[in-house]
Amino acid sequence: MTRDEVLQEFRDAGAILEGHFILTSGLRSSVFLQKARVFMYPDKTERLCKALAAKIEASGLGPFDFIVSPALGGLIPGYETARHLGIPAMWVERENAEFRLRRFELPAGSRVLVVEDIVTTGLSGRETVTALQSLGADVRALACLIDRSGGTADAGVPMIALAEYKVPTYDPNDLPPELAGLPAVKPGSRGLS
Ligand SMILES: O=P(O)(O)OC[C@H]1O[C@H](OP(=O)(O)OP(=O)(O)O)[C@H](O)[C@@H]1O
Ligand SMILES: O=C(O)c1cc(=O)[nH]c(=O)[nH]1
Ligand SMILES: [Mg+2]
């Protein structure tokens, strides 16, 4: 899939939102990729994750024993990518703000691929990698559908992105006037109670 084809799937699903958004990193942006609006369509999710699986296979970073994804956003693409790679998928979820593998056993030394939906700063990916390494996992790579960072995000392991979509982000104390005048909304699940 080309970058344009990937972004067109997001556009067709009405998943590219404009406004004033508080991202999970605390940064602000005028664009938010509401991936849930893509993942509600199994055919779109299948096309995207099949293409991601092909890119992962071509990367030579595998083989992998398991995919592990950070909830919530990573869960559906993690499962669907695992289906195309023929391996099992697990997820980490927040407990007292920290990602934990609450429902699964991950044998020490397992070769793990982390699958994310969207990467902005790499913070959530890094938290996932660290949580899995503390269990003795051999985390070999992180794959995502869209990298918003322009290749600068660092999750602590090699990264494979199906498409790059560089979008400006801003410090909340240094907002451009067009954002400062709009009420800010936070669509993601970090910090929800
Ligand atoms: O690279 P980062 O700066 O960490 O940003 C990307 C993360 O933000 C979103 O998660 P969020 O915590 O908003 O919650 P969600 O997974 O429930 O959507 C998204 O699913 C990624 O996990
Ligand atoms: O950085 C984020 O929190 C983020 C950005 C984005 O476009 N989509 C998303 O789900 N999270
Ligand atoms: Mg997430």
Side-chain angles (χ1 to χ4, degrees):
M1 264 179 127
T2 64
R3 174 183 180 276
D4 280 354
E5 286 168 342
V6 173
L7 294 178
Q8 195 58 45
E9 296 282 7
F10 277 72
R11 274 187 216 108
D12 291 347
I16 306 187
L17 309 183
E18 292 185 8
H20 179 183
F21 301 100
I22 305 174
L23 305 180
T24 197
S25 53
L27 294 172
R28 304 294 179 90
S29 180
S30 63
V31 174
F32 191 82
L33 301 174
Q34 184 44 279
K35 65 283 172 130
R37 294 195 184 173
V38 174
F39 301 151
M40 67 186 275
Y41 299 104
D43 56 337
K44 286 185 181 302
T45 308
E46 178 176 30
R47 282 194 291 277
L48 290 165
C49 294
K50 186 175 180 190
L52 182 62
K55 200 159 178 181
I56 291 162
E57 276 179 332
S59 75
L61 292 165
F64 305 100
D65 302 311
F66 299 100
I67 280 177
V68 183
S69 296
L72 277 168
L75 223 147
I76 292 174
Y79 173 87
E80 182 63 12
T81 305
R83 198 167 73 81
H84 291 284
L85 290 177
I87 56 175
M90 307 178 185
W91 62 87
V92 291
E93 58 201 293
R94 292 194 190 276
E95 186 178 68
N96 300 325
E98 305 269 311
F99 277 133
R100 267 201 52 209
L101 194 73
R102 293 184 60 237
R103 304 169 198 248
F104 308 95
E105 297 274 340
L106 184 65
S110 297
R111 297 165 300 181
V112 171
L113 170 69
V114 171
V115 171
E116 260 282 30
D117 45 353
I118 314 289
V119 166
T120 300
T121 64
L123 172 66
S124 308
R126 214 157 49 238
E127 289 173 336
T128 305
V129 168
T130 306
L132 298 172
Q133 285 172 338
S134 74
L135 299 175
D138 174 12
V139 185
R140 297 201 161 180
L142 179 145
C144 65
L145 293 175
I146 297 200
D147 175 11
R148 293 181 42 142
S149 80
T152 61
D154 180 12
V157 291
M159 201 163 110
I160 304 153
L162 184 58
E164 307 259 343
Y165 183 51
K166 178 113 179 71
V167 189
T169 52
Y170 305 96
D171 185 294
N173 298 312
D174 193 14
L175 292 177
E178 64 274 16
L179 278 198
L182 286 177
V185 295
K186 183 175 179 301
S189 68
R190 182 194 293 263
L192 286 185
S193 54

